[in-house]
Structures are given as structure tokens and as C-alpha cells.
Amino acid sequence: MTPTDAAIQKCQSDKCINGYPNSKLECPTCTKNVLKLTKSHKAVHDLVKGISAAASNPDGTYNPFPNFRFTGALRPVYPLSPKRAIPDSIRKPDYADHPQGIPTSERSIDANTLRVLTPDEIEKMRVVSRMGREILDLAASYVKPGITTDEIDAVVHEATIARGAYPSPLNYRQFPKSVCTSINETICHGIPDQRKLKEGDIINLDVSVYYDGYHSDLNATYPVGKISDQDAKLIETTRKCLDEAIKICKPGALFRDIGKAIEPIAKANGCSVVRTYTGHGVDKYFHCAPNIPHYAKNKTPGTMKPGMTFTIEPMINLGPNYSAEHHWPDDWTCTTIDGNKSAQFEETLLITETGVEVLTAPIKTDS
């Protein structure tokens, strides 16, 4: 028998209806669909099998990343709803219609320089910040078991355009929605989808608004129904971290000292401070100088001056692991690497002549 003869194999079927021809050693399914056998052949089968199985949910929803190694119990629930429309009458930021959502203005020298706003600019920041607070409070009123994050996105979107404003996250670096909804182990940038909130979840709603040429940015973490004492303590600790950091803000204070106020509180409560993401300047640019780390012993430069506006937004993880390097294949959702829960609070601040003004503070109502 020659080597060539040895390499030839006949069809192995006991009842071959084609006369036992020489086998091509090819997957019949792929051959039928005109697919070539490659090193990724098995991966293609696994992907198709996974999507098909997930898509068989009675309601038509599915997990688009069935083979991804998630760190916790949370899963995406697709399909995403279509991109929501913006009326032509609404002023848009430069990235709104950019095919890659690139904020070209943020690359300017101006955006990367510490800016002191004029009185007119400060008033515009007050207006858009109040809008942001109104919209966040409205969205928070819908948080309950059974609602989907996509439904919350619709609330935020409609409330924003009703005010003649643009939802800043929409198409920013191709983010597909008008608000970030980060559940449980998600640290930040969760994409609203068809997942229904469940009793015991925690969810962060991150609202950003663009109006009259200026952005505001704020967020908060909320319980969904009754939550565990541990999760309630996480939320309380995170809010305290932000509040204590705000207290040090005044003319002459150093941006690097913000982290010094935050990290000891987190550690004392069995938590850790995320280092990958930071606070930032916000005004006519969605993200600009200064860069504000939330952990101690950072080297960020800069001194606070009257007229500066920026955010402080500590992301606090349960447990000692501060890493935020686990990203889903959607290129946005960032989760803890150990599956532990994470919380966040954020406010937009203005440095005044005598201290600090929380531009996005809760709106006082007459009692």
C-alpha cells in the first residue's frame, strides 16, 4: 500500500447511499454552506451553536457573547433597540454625527489645558447641570424590579430632547445609547439592553446632557427593591467617599489630594478604589483637563481656581481588588475582575471664590 493509498479514507457510514466514495474529511455542514475548513472552523461552529441556542429564548432575546468568560452572573440581553432619533432643531456636539463618534474638539490644546470659565459660561453650566439633575431624578423614579435598562434609556432620551438638549453619551466614541446603566459587578459604561432589573440588584445611572454648547455629567447608584446589608453599605460608602472629597475643594486645593480624601474611607469599609477611570474637566468639552484620580498618592498636577468646572466620580469595588481591566466584547461594559459588586456617585462641581458649588446637587423643593 502506498502512502497515498493509506491517506485515502472511504465514507464510514454503515449505509452510505452514495456508494462509499472517498472521504474529503470536510464538515458536511460547512461544505453545504460553501465554507472552507480553517483553524477557526470549530470556533465558528461554537459561535453559531451558542447564538442559536441563546436566540431560542421564548421572547427572542439572546446573549451575543455566549463564549465570553464573564466574571459574575450578569449577562447582556440583546437585541439592542434601534438608535433613538434626535430632532434637527437640537444643537449637537461635534461627535454626534461623526461615523466613529470621535470628539475631535477634545484633541485641541484648549481641551487639554486647565480652563477658567467666564461668568456667561458658568451660567450655562448651571443651566445644563440643573437639567442633568432633573433627568437623573426622573430616571431614578423608574428603577424597580421588572423594568429593562432599555426602557430607562428611553425615559432619559425623551426627557433630554424634551428640554431641547442632546444626551451626551449618544454616539460618543460610538456608544449606542443615551445613558449608561451599570448593574451589580459593572463598574461603568453599561449599555442599556433588554435585561429586566431584579430584586436585589444595584444599578448606577450615569446621565450627561449637552445644552447651549455645554455639558453636565452626574450619576448615582440605586437599590432595586430590597438589597443586602453588604450592598447597602457599599452604596453608603461610595456616597461618603464623594461627599468627603467635595469638602476639600476650594481655591488653592490640589487635584491630587482628592484621592487622599477618598481611598482611606473605601479601605476602612472593606472596599477598593478603581484606578483605571477618573474624574475630569467638563464644560464645552464632554471630557477635558484636569484628569482627577480617586486614589491616594497619585501624581496628577494642577491647583483649583475659581471658575473651574470638573467632576469627581469615585468607583468603589467591594473587596480589595481595584482592577477594572475586564471589558466585555461590546467595547464598553467594564466589570470587576472577581465578580464583586461596584458602586459609583458623580457630581459636576464649580470652584467659587470662597469654596465649591455642586452644580448638579439635588434640587431643593418647597416643603
Side-chain angles (χ1 to χ4, degrees):
M1 181 182 293
T2 66
T4 302
D5 293 333
I8 296 175
Q9 294 188 33
K10 299 290 185 179
C11 175
Q12 300 297 302
S13 174
D14 292 336
K15 298 180 180 179
C16 179
I17 62 174
N18 295 313
Y20 302 95
N22 293 339
S23 173
K24 297 179 180 179
L25 299 179
E26 293 180 354
C27 170
T29 301
C30 288
T31 301
K32 180 180 178 181
N33 290 290
V34 200
L35 294 176
K36 293 184 178 180
L37 190 65
T38 65
K39 291 182 179 180
S40 60
H41 174 242
K42 185 177 184 298
V44 172
H45 271 273
D46 289 343
L47 179 63
V48 172
K49 181 180 179 181
I51 292 178
S52 296
S56 65
N57 293 339
D59 60 0
T61 60
Y62 62 95
N63 172 6
F65 316 120
N67 299 307
F68 180 70
R69 184 174 294 177
F70 295 92
T71 61
L74 186 70
R75 298 291 184 272
V77 182
Y78 279 41
L80 297 182
S81 60
K83 182 179 178 181
R84 304 190 195 281
I86 301 292
D88 292 337
S89 60
I90 289 178
R91 182 175 177 178
K92 302 176 183 177
D94 60 350
Y95 55 82
D97 294 319
H98 191 285
Q100 284 81 47
I102 297 174
T104 53
S105 60
E106 291 184 7
R107 297 175 173 176
S108 67
I109 294 176
D110 187 51
N112 290 280
T113 303
L114 293 176
R115 302 180 67 244
V116 172
L117 304 189
T118 66
D120 181 62
E121 289 179 306
I122 290 172
E123 188 55 35
K124 289 182 178 181
M125 285 296 296
R126 286 195 176 104
V127 171
V128 72
S129 294
R130 183 182 177 90
M131 282 186 182
R133 171 52 66 180
E134 291 172 350
I135 294 166
L136 176 61
D137 289 349
L138 175 64
S141 71
Y142 283 82
V143 172
K144 62 181 179 180
I147 193 170
T148 68
T149 49
D150 185 66
E151 290 172 321
I152 294 175
D153 180 72
V155 169
V156 170
H157 186 89
E158 293 303 320
T160 303
I161 64 174
R163 289 165 170 76
Y166 182 92
S168 300
L170 187 61
N171 203 48
Y172 182 81
R173 301 189 184 279
Q174 296 186 310
F175 189 81
K177 295 297 176 180
S178 297
V179 65
C180 296
T181 53
S182 301
I183 301 170
N184 295 341
E185 68 265 26
T186 305
I187 295 170
C188 60
H189 303 154
I191 297 175
D193 61 15
Q194 307 305 319
R195 183 189 184 277
K196 295 179 180 180
L197 296 184
K198 301 176 182 178
E199 184 89 12
D201 284 343
I202 63 173
I203 181 171
N204 178 272
L205 303 180
D206 194 341
V207 169
S208 307
V209 179
Y210 180 75
Y211 180 78
D212 198 16
Y214 287 78
H215 297 270
S216 65
D217 197 3
L218 73 160
N219 73 54
T221 301
Y222 304 94
V224 181
K226 182 175 176 57
I227 62 174
S228 69
D229 291 343
Q230 183 182 52
D231 292 347
K233 183 179 179 181
L234 170 65
I235 292 175
E236 180 183 356
T237 297
T238 306
R239 182 69 230 192
K240 184 177 181 181
C241 285
L242 175 57
D243 290 341
E244 292 303 311
I246 291 173
K247 289 179 181 178
I248 75 161
C249 295
K250 61 183 179 180
L254 303 177
F255 287 112
R256 67 170 178 259
D257 286 345
I258 289 173
K260 189 188 298 184
I262 292 172
E263 190 161 41
I265 298 170
K267 285 187 173 181
N269 287 278
C271 299
S272 53
V273 180
V274 171
R275 298 188 173 211
T276 306
Y277 295 99
T278 66
H280 54 88
V282 59
D283 44 51
K284 63 181 179 180
Y285 308 106
F286 191 6
H287 298 91
C288 57
N291 180 60
I292 303 174
H294 301 114
Y295 55 90
K297 298 181 181 179
N298 67 79
K299 306 291 186 183
T300 200
T303 302
M304 300 177 199
K305 297 179 181 180
M308 289 183 172
T309 51
F310 55 88
T311 72
I312 302 178
E313 47 185 294
M315 286 145 272
I316 307 298
N317 296 346
L318 272 176
N321 205 323
Y322 58 78
S323 179
E325 298 303 325
H326 197 83
H327 290 81
W328 286 5
D330 61 20
D331 295 328
W332 280 104
T333 307
C334 177
T335 67
T336 58
I337 64 171
D338 53 14
N340 281 345
K341 289 182 180 177
S342 184
Q344 182 186 16
F345 284 87
E346 174 186 23
E347 304 281 8
T348 294
L349 310 176
L350 164 70
I351 299 301
T352 65
E353 293 291 342
T354 58
V356 63
E357 178 181 343
V358 182
L359 296 177
T360 50
I363 298 168
K364 295 181 180 179
T365 58
D366 296 331
S367 57

